[in-house]
Amino acid sequence: LIAFFQPKLLQGRRLLITAGPTFEPIDPVRGLTNLSSGKMGFAMARAAQEAGAQVTLVAGPVHLDTPAGVRRIDVRTAQQMFDAVLPLAAQHDVFVATAAVADWRPAGTSDAKIKKQADRAVPVLELVENPDILAAVARLPDAPYCVGFAAESHDLARHAREKLQRKNVPLVVGNLGPATFGRDDNALLLVDAQGEREVPCASKRALAQELVREIAGRLAARG
Ligand code: CTP
Ligand code: CA
């Protein structure tokens, strides 16, 4: 009953979340992508909505249902994700970047399917770098509170801290992969300017609820 009368943790806050992988086409039937189920981002969207937030979810290609009450925008490539996120960022209080954005895309996309050559010459892919969505949002003059994610195969704390500084964001959430990718549970390491805190292995739903509490506390402390 007491909980009923307590204002929800993120009441009145607007959250923008990226989730899933991006897909960078090579030709109509092939492309480059990252390993990402989108589960953590969708769990964040659901937990934030349940905590009273207005949630916009920009999703790469994933096979997940939209959480109730969440506004979803579907994109395919990193550039489309960037183009969807940047104009919306300033209208939100928090930006949570869970997406596994492809770092590079093919320099050119073929309109026709590339065929194997009779002489067996193998095509060579030239790549160009995609824009860094999180770093670009963090650079905005009216930037929302930015939370980055770092999925690493080793040296998690060091890499998460390096991303905190390089992207100039106040909080980075680290996890060790690839064993965790696509699973329903995970363990996290929260890294900020003050230090580190481990969140022990739990379901992505429970982790998302813990991150909602963490973010709500940081917003309240900021005033
Ligand atoms: N990110 C992003 N746009 C990109 C690349 C990454 O918004 N083009 C975000 C991710 O969503 C994540 C954070 O930045 O929140 C860290 O992503 P990560 O891939 O770990 O960092 P990179 O800077 O790309 O470094 P690297 O892949 O070399 O580890
Ligand atoms: Ca990357």
Side-chain angles (χ1 to χ4, degrees):
L1 193 67
I2 292 168
F4 182 80
F5 290 108
Q6 272 174 354
K8 290 184 175 179
L9 276 175
L10 290 176
Q11 196 68 49
R13 308 285 196 183
R14 295 156 302 177
L15 265 78
L16 179 61
I17 301 172
T18 61
T22 66
F23 180 88
E24 314 296 328
I26 295 170
D27 71 13
V29 299
R30 307 183 179 92
L32 301 174
T33 192
N34 278 349
L35 280 179
S36 168
S37 65
K39 284 176 182 170
M40 193 62 219
F42 276 60
M44 278 300 296
R46 179 180 173 189
Q49 196 278 337
E50 289 172 350
Q54 279 179 50
V55 180
T56 308
L57 177 61
V58 179
V62 293
H63 300 281
L64 294 172
D65 292 332
T66 311
V70 167
R71 170 192 182 201
R72 171 171 177 179
I73 299 169
D74 283 317
V75 297
R76 191 155 86 123
T77 67
Q79 186 65 52
Q80 288 168 358
M81 189 174 273
F82 181 93
D83 292 342
V85 164
L86 264 286
L88 293 175
Q91 304 162 24
H92 290 80
D93 303 297
V94 181
F95 176 52
V96 185
T98 74
V101 183
D103 291 317
W104 306 281
R105 65 177 180 273
T109 300
S110 172
D111 291 337
K113 180 183 172 187
I114 301 166
K115 300 297 289 178
K116 282 183 283 187
Q117 300 295 313
D119 62 2
R120 294 276 162 198
V122 174
V124 176
L125 268 186
E126 192 192 331
L127 300 178
V128 293
E129 194 162 321
N130 277 323
D132 189 316
I133 302 164
L134 177 59
V137 170
R139 274 195 301 268
L140 292 172
D142 39 9
Y145 189 87
C146 288
V147 181
F149 273 67
E152 306 290 344
S153 60
H154 61 285
D155 292 330
L156 177 59
R158 181 167 64 80
H159 285 127
R161 183 159 305 285
E162 183 270 326
K163 281 169 192 172
L164 186 86
Q165 290 158 357
R166 175 160 51 86
K167 299 180 191 242
N168 194 27
V169 298
L171 177 63
V172 168
V173 180
N175 70 278
L176 277 178
T180 61
F181 298 170
R183 284 176 48 154
D184 289 318
D185 60 5
N186 207 347
L188 302 178
L189 184 71
L190 307 188
V191 177
D192 70 8
Q194 274 69 52
E196 283 147 33
R197 177 165 81 86
E198 274 180 53
V199 182
C201 191
S203 69
K204 286 185 177 172
R205 171 147 174 78
L207 292 174
Q209 289 167 332
E210 174 63 21
L211 285 177
V212 160
R213 276 191 291 278
E214 179 72 32
I215 291 167
R218 286 164 182 267
L219 289 178
R222 212 174 55 145

